[in-house]
Amino acid sequence: MSTLIDSFGRQINYVRLAVTDRCNLRCQYCMPAHGIEIVPRDHLLTYKEMYRIIRVLTELGVNKVRLTGGEPFVRKGFVDFLEMLSFNDLLDDINITTNGAMIYKHIETLEKLQKVKNINLSIDSLKADKFNEITRRNVFDEVFKTMEALEKSSMNLKLNVVVQSGINTDEINDFVRLTKDKDIAVRFIEEMPFNGKGQRSIEENWNYTKILNEIKSEFSVTEVQSEKSSTSRNFSIENHKGSVGIIPAFTRTICGDCNRIRLTSTGTFKSCLFDDGVFNLRDFLRNGASNEELKDLFLSLVKEKPENGFIAEANRKKGNVSESMSTIGG
Ligand code: SAM
Ligand code: SF4
């Protein structure tokens, strides 16, 4: 079987797929208050197109998919799509990243889908006012209730916390405290300028090292061996049920072991988070491409995967990164 190996010898086995560019929240670090310009519905990949792309990728060795957005649960039929994807016998894991504001009623169904093992819930503050200010919507209670239910569910729960200078850095250790009694992996993410307007002026640069030092100021942490392709560096804390991790998304020290490709909701293939899209799969499919042609295309596209995010960014044609993460699929 041909598999997806890039020109640096990295085996690609993970695809992140944004199922929509729409979202019910307006997080300050992700998009402007008025939202982003969403694409017409027929520009989005259909579920059948997504299924077909994922099937072909799994025939090339991909065995994990992360579904994201926008907010995946905003798209009608998303839970049915999860069921459909579960029928792909070559797929081992279906992971989901969600803001959690619409999923409480679906938790039981998700638990029944055996390949849905990991849920990443985005929650940037444990204080209702702050949370609602960050997301510009009044959904803290719903998201918090969902977090508690997910923690009790059979799925693994990770919390994504974007560390925002001057906004939620005082809560870093409150999140760490949550892991004492809850079996949750809290992951702090360096803020990136993917917000619809570019780099925002910040008081202090909360990078990996600064976040770690903040945690160490209160907790004694031990780094744990993570999977080679993990996006986070992970730590355990004595007597804590859960764990913490830091995702150096902006300082990009983890690119060497990257095993991922991305597809936007409009079918743009991205071989790196920081590139500006290298191929439009939607048009290729709609022009009648066969599965064999798709396979050949993927095999050649991964050979162009840049060595790291800095090179990808330097190669961009559309200028500095500024697009909203909701169009990329974070
Ligand atoms: N709507 C879902 C959610 O919020 O979980 C899925 C899509 S969202 C774009 C995926 C992840 O990207 C979230 O954890 C979010 O916090 C993160 N994200 C969005 N904009 C970001 C930025 N500018 N810097 C760092 N992370 C960002
Ligand atoms: Fe929506 Fe997720 Fe972006 Fe927040 S981070 S606006 S929930 S896509």
Side-chain angles (χ1 to χ4, degrees):
M1 174 178 92
S2 305
T3 58
L4 299 171
I5 300 181
D6 76 2
S7 46
F8 302 94
R10 293 173 297 194
Q11 173 90 47
I12 308 302
N13 68 349
Y14 196 7
V15 59
R16 287 185 184 221
L17 169 64
V19 301
T20 180
D21 61 344
R22 275 85 165 148
C23 189
N24 50 332
L25 308 187
R26 294 286 178 271
C27 303
Q28 307 242 10
Y29 52 80
C30 182
M31 58 173 78
H34 54 81
I36 54 158
E37 211 172 299
I38 54 171
V39 300
R41 207 165 286 277
D42 63 345
H43 289 204
L44 297 175
L45 290 175
T46 64
Y47 285 128
K48 284 181 183 152
E49 287 167 335
M50 291 184 223
Y51 184 88
R52 190 169 157 216
I53 291 171
I54 300 292
R55 178 66 202 181
V56 169
L57 285 170
T58 56
E59 287 171 8
L60 293 169
V62 166
N63 63 352
K64 277 190 203 175
V65 62
R66 172 165 299 282
L67 301 171
T68 172
E71 171 51 37
F73 286 87
V74 159
R75 186 152 180 188
K76 207 166 151 226
F78 178 63
V79 177
D80 294 336
F81 177 58
L82 290 172
E83 249 171 356
M84 185 161 126
L85 262 191
S86 303
F87 281 107
N88 184 340
D89 58 339
L90 298 175
L91 206 50
D92 295 327
D93 289 0
I94 302 172
N95 302 331
I96 305 172
T97 303
T98 174
N99 63 37
M102 297 171 68
I103 78 164
Y104 186 78
K105 64 174 188 238
H106 296 299
I107 293 176
E108 261 179 53
T109 313
L110 296 179
E111 282 186 291
K112 287 190 194 125
L113 298 172
Q114 285 176 2
K115 291 182 186 180
V116 177
K117 297 176 186 156
N118 302 298
I119 305 279
N120 288 10
L121 178 74
S122 303
I123 178 166
D124 302 311
S125 174
L126 297 169
K127 299 175 186 159
D129 289 353
K130 175 85 64 73
F131 180 94
N132 294 341
E133 189 188 321
I134 293 172
T135 58
R136 303 190 180 103
R137 294 290 183 271
N138 206 357
V139 290
F140 177 78
D141 292 345
E142 183 65 24
V143 173
F144 198 82
K145 177 177 86 174
T146 298
M147 179 183 84
E148 298 204 296
L150 284 171
E151 199 252 328
K152 294 190 184 78
S153 78
S154 57
M155 296 173 286
N156 302 317
L157 176 61
K158 291 182 181 166
L159 300 187
N160 283 359
V161 182
V162 177
V163 177
Q164 300 150 65
S165 172
I167 298 175
N168 65 351
T169 49
D170 57 329
E171 289 190 66
I172 291 177
N173 285 334
D174 293 341
F175 275 104
V176 177
R177 256 184 292 284
L178 266 191
T179 66
K180 174 118 184 57
D181 301 315
K182 292 190 195 299
D183 187 11
I184 295 180
V186 173
R187 287 130 35 97
F188 298 103
I189 309 177
E190 289 176 347
E191 182 176 350
M192 297 178 280
F194 290 110
N195 54 21
K197 52 183 192 295
Q199 186 77 54
R200 74 179 176 92
S201 57
I202 49 176
E203 287 166 27
E204 285 175 298
N205 180 11
W206 278 81
N207 60 16
Y208 172 88
T209 310
K210 194 164 168 62
I211 298 168
L212 184 57
N213 284 342
E214 174 71 10
I215 300 170
K216 282 183 174 168
S217 71
E218 259 193 68
F219 300 93
S220 164
V221 300
T222 310
E223 181 152 9
V224 291
Q225 200 56 45
S226 311
E227 240 182 79
K228 194 163 164 259
S229 54
S230 171
T231 50
S232 55
R233 298 220 0 226
N234 301 308
F235 304 86
S236 64
I237 299 168
E238 215 184 341
N239 297 325
H240 280 222
K241 264 185 161 179
S243 64
V244 295
I246 305 175
I247 303 183
F250 195 55
T251 49
R252 287 165 257 186
T253 47
I254 45 166
C255 299
D257 293 323
C258 182
N259 64 344
R260 289 172 290 284
I261 51 175
R262 291 165 190 271
L263 298 171
T264 72
S265 58
T266 53
T268 298
F269 181 99
K270 283 169 69 75
S271 49
C272 172
L273 172 63
F274 287 88
D275 72 29
D276 48 6
V278 293
F279 194 87
N280 190 308
L281 292 172
R282 181 198 61 211
D283 295 345
F284 192 62
L285 282 184
R286 292 184 188 174
N287 287 331
S290 68
N291 283 3
E292 281 315 305
E293 285 168 327
L294 258 180
K295 273 189 193 164
D296 290 343
L297 175 75
F298 287 135
L299 288 166
S300 70
L301 286 175
V302 295
K303 291 285 181 238
E304 303 299 316
K305 184 172 164 69
E307 187 174 4
N308 59 50
F310 293 103
I311 294 175
E313 193 174 3
N315 288 342
R316 287 168 66 94
K317 289 166 231 61
K318 299 178 199 152
N320 292 346
V321 294
S322 65
E323 59 269 38
S324 164
M325 198 67 141
S326 66
T327 62
I328 306 173

